[in-house]
Amino acid sequence: MALLVSSWSNGVQSVPKDYVMPPERRPRDFVSVCDEIPVIDLQENPKADRSDIIQQILKACQEFGLFQVINHGVSEKMMEDMRVLYHEFFNMSVDDKLGVYTESFGKGCSLYTSGLNYAKEDVHYWKDTLKHPCHPLEEHTPSWPEKPTRYREDVGRYALEVRKMGFKILDLIGEGLGLNKGYFNGVSQEQAMAINHYPPCPDPSLAMGIGGHTDPNLITFLQQDQYGLQMHKDGKWMGIDPIPNAFVVNIGYQLEIISNGKLKSVEHRGVTNSTTARTSIVTFFGPNPGLPVVVEPAKELVTSTNPQMFKSYQYNNFIVDYMAYVRKPLPRSGTPLDPYRL
Ligand code: OGA
Ligand code: NI
């Protein structure tokens, strides 16, 4: 438990040496917040606007692999309740956190620190994460934290609202791509949450919150109220402005593959700051890694002029390969998509 950054970093004057990133992995470049990242308003508008919204989303997924949504249907009160709840959670005593603590990232519900494998890292990330599956709720809530006492009820309600929003957005994407209605039902059965907590860091120029990565799943929805998230585009890192009560939506590897390369997954990372703790509340949708779900470019998108770009494969095998890739020491060559290209 002493490993959790949130349990030892309060008042620390300098970054301990096993958290000092080698120079090439530091957030050293000057990064400005990018005002070109699309902000999409999902407000129910007259019917005529649906195709306009679809075009905006598709363009954002092609050019950036990432966008923000506002008026998405998840209530502001519920989003605020989540921020308050997780503030309380990460400020609880060590004893209260013990029930869900694990030495490293594991199956089911776990509270762990740094990256996916603390023991094997040469240098650690300035982050603690609570993560757990969310769907179906009845199956998973018994493994969730018991404290704060309202945790299971409130997070359960939030997970259902985010699920509704998620499928609404997936339907818009599917329609834009020309896929059959309900295409994503079969490949987004898994819903999981990760709550990343980045305590204030005495020198943010030396440490990293979460290193550059691309999400292995289908699509990700992130709630944030502090700056820290950055995306990589055209050889540069750029910052994503935290818009109150918006969700940041990013494309994962599976959606890039299903769209036969039309939509781009995006590399992103998180930096720390010296004054305020930052907590991001992240929901992942994707195939269930416990089932033999086949993923492949949608047949509708493969034509003689648009040949199939990726193999057909089982998602659980992809995840095994992805985990092996991210656990390799840096610098790594290639990307986890390479073995799946045709
Ligand atoms: C993630 C992620 C970024 C953040 O959990 O996959 O990219 O800002 N998080 O916490
Ligand atoms: Ni991510």
Side-chain angles (χ1 to χ4, degrees):
M1 179 59 84
L3 293 180
L4 288 179
V5 184
S6 52
S7 69
W8 57 257
S9 64
N10 193 5
V12 161
Q13 298 294 309
S14 63
V15 178
K17 84 175 176 323
D18 50 346
Y19 285 80
V20 174
M21 288 284 153
E24 67 283 3
R25 290 169 61 192
R26 291 179 195 166
R28 72 201 139 128
D29 0 354
F30 174 75
V31 171
S32 52
V33 163
C34 174
D35 51 18
E36 288 156 42
I37 293 174
V39 178
I40 292 168
D41 187 342
L42 287 187
Q43 188 102 54
E44 293 296 336
N45 276 322
K47 264 208 176 105
D49 284 345
R50 185 173 167 92
S51 63
D52 185 39
I53 292 177
I54 289 175
Q55 286 322 310
Q56 288 177 39
I57 294 182
L58 228 56
K59 188 162 181 280
C61 296
Q62 287 174 277
E63 284 178 19
F64 291 84
L66 184 148
F67 58 93
Q68 305 213 49
V69 275
I70 54 172
N71 296 318
H72 39 62
V74 181
S75 83
E76 292 188 0
K77 166 83 169 58
M78 201 176 258
M79 295 181 80
E80 165 72 16
D81 288 350
M82 288 297 107
R83 291 192 286 271
V84 173
L85 178 81
Y86 286 114
H87 177 80
E88 238 177 85
F89 178 86
F90 283 101
N91 281 294
M92 286 188 324
S93 71
V94 165
D95 280 352
D96 281 342
K97 289 178 190 156
L98 261 183
V100 282
Y101 176 74
T102 52
E103 292 283 312
S104 69
F105 172 85
K107 278 210 165 70
C109 179
S110 66
L111 170 64
Y112 63 98
T113 195
S114 188
L116 295 179
N117 199 347
Y118 183 91
K120 292 220 169 117
E121 291 164 357
D122 47 353
V123 46
H124 306 303
Y125 295 107
W126 197 269
K127 165 174 88 67
D128 298 327
T129 297
L130 171 68
K131 68 107 197 164
H132 55 62
C134 299
H135 181 78
L137 273 181
E138 324 70 80
E139 191 177 310
H140 297 295
T141 42
S143 70
W144 294 2
E146 283 178 273
K147 286 186 181 169
T149 49
R150 63 187 187 286
Y151 190 98
R152 294 176 182 180
E153 194 179 331
D154 286 9
V155 177
R157 258 191 287 129
Y158 176 79
L160 290 175
E161 286 300 299
V162 174
R163 190 166 184 83
K164 269 195 234 154
M165 171 189 68
F167 275 97
K168 187 155 83 181
I169 292 173
L170 282 172
D171 281 346
L172 292 166
I173 293 175
E175 200 173 321
L177 288 171
L179 305 181
N180 283 334
K181 205 169 163 38
Y183 182 92
F184 291 111
N185 293 349
V187 285
S188 51
Q189 281 311 309
E190 165 96 345
Q191 181 181 342
M193 284 173 78
I195 301 83
N196 301 311
H197 181 73
Y198 309 90
C201 173
D203 187 347
S205 73
L206 298 178
M208 187 53 84
I210 184 169
H213 68 282
T214 301
D215 294 344
N217 53 298
L218 190 70
I219 192 166
T220 302
F221 301 93
L222 177 144
Q223 178 186 339
Q224 60 170 354
D225 64 347
Q226 291 269 337
Y227 175 69
L229 181 63
Q230 300 178 344
M231 67 172 277
H232 199 233
K233 185 174 187 320
D234 304 329
K236 295 201 298 259
W237 288 100
M238 45 202 215
I240 294 151
D241 192 19
I243 302 175
N245 299 309
F247 279 91
V248 179
V249 184
N250 72 265
I251 304 301
Y253 283 136
Q254 306 313 307
L255 197 43
E256 177 161 348
I257 290 169
I258 287 169
S259 70
N260 202 30
K262 190 163 181 188
L263 310 185
K264 301 293 175 211
S265 58
V266 64
E267 187 184 2
H268 52 282
R269 69 180 186 183
V271 299
T272 65
N273 76 79
S274 59
T275 51
T276 332
R278 170 173 181 266
T279 304
S280 61
I281 305 168
V282 192
T283 299
F284 304 98
F285 281 60
N288 184 333
L291 297 174
V293 181
V294 172
V295 181
E296 59 191 2
K299 299 269 189 277
E300 295 90 324
L301 302 179
V302 177
T303 59
S304 54
T305 48
N306 233 337
Q308 185 168 343
M309 285 179 62
F310 300 95
K311 296 177 193 167
S312 168
Y313 57 90
Q314 263 183 220
Y315 182 67
N316 44 358
N317 294 333
F318 182 97
I319 288 298
V320 170
D321 289 349
Y322 177 84
M323 287 299 184
Y325 176 89
V326 295
R327 285 176 169 152
K328 273 196 249 171
L330 288 159
R332 312 174 191 116
S333 61
T335 82
L337 275 192
D338 296 341
Y340 293 86
R341 289 185 204 280
L342 282 172

